[in-house]
Every structure is written in C-alpha cells, then in structure tokens.
Amino acid sequence: MVNKWGKVKLALGLNLCTYVPKKTLDENDDSGSSTVSESERHSGAALISPATADWDVAPATPRSPVLKLSKSLSRSSKKTCSICLASMKRGDGHAIFTAECSHSFHFQCIASNVKHGNQVCPVCRAEWKEIPLQFPSLDPPIVRARVNPVDWPQNNALMTVIRRLPTTRSTPNRHISPLFQAPEPAIFDDDESLGHQLNSTEKSASVKSSIDGCEFCDNRKVKIETYPEVPAVSRSSASDNFTVLVQLKAPGSVSVQEPGKNQVNLSQVSQTPRAPVDLVTVLDISGSMAGTKLALLKRAMGFVIQNLGPNDRLAVIAFSSTARRLFPLRRMSETGRQLALQAVNSLVANGGTNIAEGLRKGAKIMEDRKEKNSVTSIILLSDGQDTYTVSNNSGSRQQQPNYKLLLPLSIHGGNSSGFKIPVHAFGFGADHDASSMHSISEISGGMFSFIETEGVIQDAFAQCIGGLLSVVVKELQVSIECLHPGVRLSSLKAGSYPNRLMSDGHMGTIDVGDLYADEERDFLVSINIPTESSCAETSLLKVKCVYVDPFMKEKVSIRSEDLRIKRPEKAGQESVLIEVDRQQNRVRVAEAMAQARAAAEKGDLVGASSILETSRKLLSESQSAKSHDRLCVALDAELKEMQERMASRNVYEASGRAYILSGLSSHSWQRATARGDSTGGSSLVQAYQTPSMAEMVTRSQATLLASPSAQRNVRPVWSFTSQPKPR
C-alpha cells in the first residue's frame, strides 16, 4: 500500500510541481514517514482530497516556482462556481481552484473540464500555463465524512495542479483525452426510469393540497369566452362578413410567497402541479461558437439544468460536422444535474454545422425512449448555416430551399403514427440562417427566437423553459358549431394552428395543442348573419373544447354558452367591441409583416417599408388605437422597429430578416419569443409572456447579477417586466 510520501514521490516522477503543507503530512500519514526536508517539500506534488481540503489554489508566481496553498478565502463567500453555478463557500468540503486569469472554480468542476480536453478558462478563454487535474486515488486517505451538498462521490480521487509542458512526440500529454470516447448505443433506450407515478387518488390529493390555503383557487379548466363584433344587428339587415372572437384562457399557476421574501430572492415557487418534461437540447458547437459564445451557452445550459425538477428528464446532443449524444435522457435529480453540468462544460467548439444530423439524433432519443413524460420538446441553438443537407439561398432571389429536409419525419409529423415534436429554435448572432431556423420551428410547431446580443442567451432560454415547465393543457382541440340554420362559417383566422371547415360551413375545428399556464388564444371567426322576420335575437354559435389534463392524465370536455345577438327593428350605428377590434389589428399587422418580408426577400426594401408604413396608418385609425390600447401601441412600435431594420440590404441581412421572422413566429402561435435587443418600452413580448415565463426570466437575471463573472453592460432582451395582457 502506498503511503502519503510515496504518493508525493510518485508525483515527482510525473514531473509535477507542488507545495505540500507539513501539517497535512503530519496529520494524515499513518506510516511514520512524515519527516520531509524543506527542499523536498518544494519539489513534490500537492495531493488534496476534495472531501477534506478547503483551499484556495493560487498559481505560481514568476519569483516562486511552486504553487501556494492558502486557507484565505477572502470574498469567496460571495462567489459562485461559473461551471456548476453552486456557491464556493468556506467549509463546504470542496477545494477551490483560482487560475492565472483570476477566475475561480470548484477544483472538481474544472478538473473534469480539463480532463475532457479544455485547457482554457471557460469564462474569459485565457490559455492557462498551470492546469488542474483529477486522477484516480491510489490509496484514499481515511478521513471523517463531511456533508456533500452537491452530491459528488466522496474520496473518489486525488486532485492536483500540474504545470503544462510542451507536447512533443516523446512527451505526449497522456492525461488529456478526447470527449466521451465510449461508443454510442445503436438504440437510445437507456433513458432513466420515470420512477414512482402517482395514481389518480394521489394526484387529486396533491392538486387539492397545492391550492388549499392560497389567496385564490383558480379553476383547473380552460375558460371560453365569445365576443360578437357588435351586440345587435337589425332584423332586416344581413351580413356576409360578421366577425366573432373566440377567446381561450388556460388555468393559471398558483404562486405562494413566504412573508418577507420578494420574487427575486425566492429560490422555489410553488405552482399548480404540472406535467414533467422530457427535454432534448441540440447545441451547435461548430468552430464559430468558440470563445465567448460557447462560454455563455454553457452558462445558459447550467441555468436550465438547475431549474429542471427531479421528475423532468434532460438529454444533450452536440453537433458540428457530425452529432453526438453527450448525455442520455436522465432525471434531473441532484446527481443527474451534476453529471449534466459536467457533460455540458466539457464541450469544445470545432468543425462545421450539420443541423440535420443534430436533429436526427435528438429525435432518435425521443423515439427510442422506453418511458415517456407527457410534455416533450427539443431546444435547438445554432449560430451558423447548415452546409450538409440544404443549400442556403435565402439571401438571393432563388427559390427557397426545402428546409423540411432538415427535419426527421418524427419531428414534423410526416410519419403514420402522427408523432410530432415541437422544436424551439434559437438563432444566435448575425450569421445564423434565420430562414431555416424559422422553418424548422414552424413545421414542428415550435417557436423561433432571435438572440441578437450574446449576453441575453440565458434569458432567452429562461423564457422558453418557463413556459415548458408550466404546461397545463395538452392536445387541445376547439370545435365551433353554428346554431342557427341560416348561419354558416366562412373563414377561421387561426395563425399557424391547423384548422378545418366542414364543406357545408356548419362546423369548424382548430388544433391548438399545448397551453402554458395563464396562456390565452384568440381566434377570429367570420360568419354570415341572415335576416330575421320576427325573432328578437339570433343564436349564432357555440364552442366546445376537448383536451387532456397532463397531470391528471384525464380527458376534459367543456362547452361555452351559446352566443346570441339582439335583432331589433332598427339598430343604430354601433362601434366594434374593443376586444374584437384589438384582435383584428393583431391579425392585420401580422399579415402586413408577412407581406413586407416577402417583398424584402425579393430585394424590394422600399416596397417592404411602404407596406409597414401603410399598416401603421391603418392601425392608428382603428377604434382601439384611438382609445390608446396598449396592444396597439406595442404593435406600432414593432412595425417601426421593422422599418428601421430594413434601412439597407446589409442591415436587413444582419438582423432585419431574423427580427421579422421571430415576430411572425410570435404572432402566428400567440406565444412569446425573444427577438433583438432594442424594442424599447413597447415590446410585444409583453402581450404573450406568461407569469411563469416572466418569473423564470427574473430568476435568470438575478443569477446573472449575483455571478462574479456576470457581464454588466448588456441590455436585456426584454426592457420591462411583464404585465397582464391588455384589455
């Protein structure tokens, strides 16, 4: 058995340099070999147990060839490890490594990073002369067990800092190995079990327990409201284009705050029980992601990992010229989180951009899994253009490429089973292919977000998972049925949601899918109004919703009250209801955006700007705009922003296209997206952002401000906090 001093001599043979405190040798060496000369101590190797040492490891200075170990942890109580995002406090049982660039990390976190080939600072990308290394213990010391707050295995390794030597053919660096050399399985059926599933009785008790004692007890069902264009039409009048607004609102989340705590300091917020999520992240690690981009991506992924619950499962796919599964679908328990963090922080940027291969691997994980959570989604991030599957001609006047080729059948629902996975795509920076990313999200039923400023990537991810972690409605389908024999449906304005009209016009359906807590959906229905001979009112239509409660796993069916309008002998000139007028404005503005984008793609930027200007003028003349409706103010500001991003071809290519496409994605699905960084105080994100999304963004910004390596002068992607949807 090798004693302590034997280990030091072994380290000497590996050309390592260190300083070994005399106290450490005297206390831990039970073999009696504790007498070491001063010169010997200054030429050995530091062997530190992560479970017993509370050291700040400082690099050697030019005047001293040794590494100093000090118990001084000044200011460390306010620091967090930039890799695992956990605090670095004195006495937490973990060694601290401080690099030449002054950034500090848990020794075990950064040693794992270095082990997988990363030899630069994850924060500032400075190249290190001294690197930390963790290698298997030859003879673990016998020590008293300590509390292990981050659930790492105790006493499983010895840690050291080595001076990196030039790599030559004769002296290769044997300690640095490529990332995850183990071969991938042919079938990704190694997903972690979902564990204990509550039965119906337990679920009902859990739901009741979660809402008892709250300030309000929200109805767990979707709410349906219908609004006619005007409340009355004269009996002798007929209309072929009468508008009815169908409005749906999902159940809300219930937040319980402890007295004396504000929203930012609240680490956990109690919510109405939600369905757990299976999430696959498909991350671009091509060469263009090197440096700050990759460091910020790792931080953003760290935030996602830390905010997933123990019943949520995460898998990580990294792609460049090829794609590889870095982390299998695993529950985000304490152990799962730490393993996921280590996998993410081992990423190294190089190679090309093969989006199709990344999505194929991501879809394969979903297809092969043995068990399934009820909420499923893929997050895709890329800063470049796919150069392997389709040829990008979005900047030219050529026919648009077939971006559907980037998607496996299981993602876009083209298979016989109808299985469809929404892909929430994030275009990163000015060089990404906005057209392909928007198409991927649109085809799959996901959202497209434009991350213009690197520093807001974490906030963008936070908004997305804030929604995914609050799904309260699944597979929602809306049926609209005419009640009067003479009433017929002529059109449904439902954005990107699939919708159908029966051939006789008597009924129509809209497939809405999932709803986040507190989300609203507004659909405009055009009908005809027949004349009436003597009736005082006409029954127009009724609405039925059928969906699945993902937590209770039960089908729910609800109906609205019958919508009627009065039929007086004579009706005066009545104004359009503000609720209907507001949504008519939203639809018209979205149509103008699509037309302007089409003109811009043909090279007619002047014509595109003119379309937007005309839309602004019509908007200003509407009833709701004249009443200073907040949604109309936001729509006008967004149209103006788009005009500015069409000032020239260069500006449009750099940000205008992505900004418009992200806006179109938001309007067509009526869901918040991140877009740009300069929408001022009137961002339309306000109209779609739910409380759960806003809370997660607030939490993200709080963690960034608390981080020692936070970027201080980056404008947030949202310039103001979310407010209730304007009425």
Side-chain angles (χ1 to χ4, degrees), residues 424-714:
H424 300 290
F426 292 82
F428 198 9
D431 297 325
H432 77 278
D433 185 356
S435 295
S436 68
M437 298 291 276
H438 175 260
S439 296
I440 288 170
S441 63
E442 191 73 9
I443 294 170
S444 66
M447 306 302 300
F448 168 61
S449 291
F450 169 38
I451 304 176
E452 185 173 19
T453 302
E454 295 175 348
V456 300
I457 181 175
Q458 179 170 306
D459 287 349
F461 275 18
Q463 177 174 260
C464 181
I465 66 167
L468 294 176
L469 299 182
S470 66
V471 173
V472 292
V473 172
K474 290 280 297 179
E475 302 172 19
L476 172 62
Q477 185 176 74
V478 181
S479 299
I480 304 168
E481 182 180 358
C482 298
L483 296 174
H484 191 283
V487 175
R488 292 291 182 271
L489 303 175
S490 56
S491 70
L492 297 174
K493 294 187 181 297
S496 293
Y497 291 101
N499 59 89
R500 297 166 298 281
L501 284 177
M502 301 292 288
S503 58
D504 60 359
H506 186 67
M507 179 180 290
T509 61
I510 305 172
D511 296 327
V512 180
D514 298 355
L515 287 182
Y516 303 156
D518 299 290
E519 270 196 320
E520 293 186 10
R521 293 293 180 266
D522 297 288
F523 304 116
L524 295 178
V525 182
S526 293
I527 62 174
N528 71 298
I529 302 290
T531 58
E532 286 283 2
S533 57
S534 60
C535 293
E537 63 179 17
T538 299
S539 296
L540 299 181
L541 49 81
K542 63 181 178 182
V543 180
K544 177 183 177 181
C545 288
V546 178
Y547 63 92
V548 174
D549 183 321
F551 182 74
M552 302 294 291
K553 294 185 179 179
E554 296 177 351
K555 183 167 286 190
V556 181
S557 179
I558 55 175
R559 294 177 180 270
S560 70
E561 296 182 357
D562 294 352
L563 176 64
R564 300 180 174 89
I565 58 170
K566 297 179 180 180
R567 304 303 299 269
E569 288 281 352
K570 292 183 180 180
Q573 187 69 28
E574 297 193 45
S575 299
V576 176
L577 291 182
I578 195 73
E579 290 85 358
V580 177
D581 187 66
R582 178 188 297 118
Q583 298 306 320
Q584 288 177 327
N585 283 333
R586 176 184 62 81
V587 171
R588 282 194 291 262
V589 166
E591 291 173 348
M593 291 177 185
Q595 294 170 5
R597 187 244 171 172
E601 292 300 324
K602 295 178 181 178
D604 185 9
L605 292 176
V606 174
S609 181
S610 177
I611 292 172
L612 297 176
E613 183 61 33
T614 300
S615 180
R616 292 183 65 191
K617 183 178 179 181
L618 293 175
L619 178 66
S620 66
E621 296 172 352
S622 67
Q623 186 70 27
S624 53
K626 290 178 180 178
S627 64
H628 306 290
D629 178 75
R630 287 183 297 166
L631 176 59
C632 293
V633 173
L635 287 169
D636 182 73
E638 188 177 15
L639 289 169
K640 182 179 179 181
E641 176 76 18
M642 290 181 179
Q643 283 182 288
E644 293 175 355
R645 291 176 185 262
M646 290 183 174
S648 69
R649 193 67 195 175
N650 289 338
V651 173
Y652 178 73
E653 294 284 351
S655 68
R657 177 186 292 115
Y659 187 88
I660 288 182
L661 288 175
S662 182
L664 287 174
S665 179
S666 183
H667 291 306
S668 64
W669 296 106
Q670 298 182 55
R671 182 166 282 172
T673 62
R675 56 193 123 126
D677 67 345
S678 58
T679 52
S682 303
S683 172
L684 193 66
V685 172
Q686 177 189 11
Y688 299 126
Q689 193 181 60
T690 67
S692 297
M693 291 177 172
E695 177 204 322
M696 194 64 74
V697 173
T698 300
R699 189 181 299 181
S700 168
Q701 293 173 345
T703 60
L704 288 173
L705 290 174
S707 171
S709 58
Q711 297 192 1
R712 300 296 180 184
N713 298 317
V714 179

Side-chain angles (χ1 to χ4, degrees), residues 17-47:
C17 60
T18 187
Y19 170 75
V20 182
K22 183 176 184 299
K23 180 180 178 182
T24 302
L25 292 175
D26 289 344
E27 291 181 353
N28 294 335
D29 190 355
D30 55 1
S31 66
S33 302
S34 59
T35 305
V36 185
S37 68
E38 190 68 19
S39 60
E40 288 174 323
R41 283 201 301 266
H42 282 271
S43 61
L47 300 175

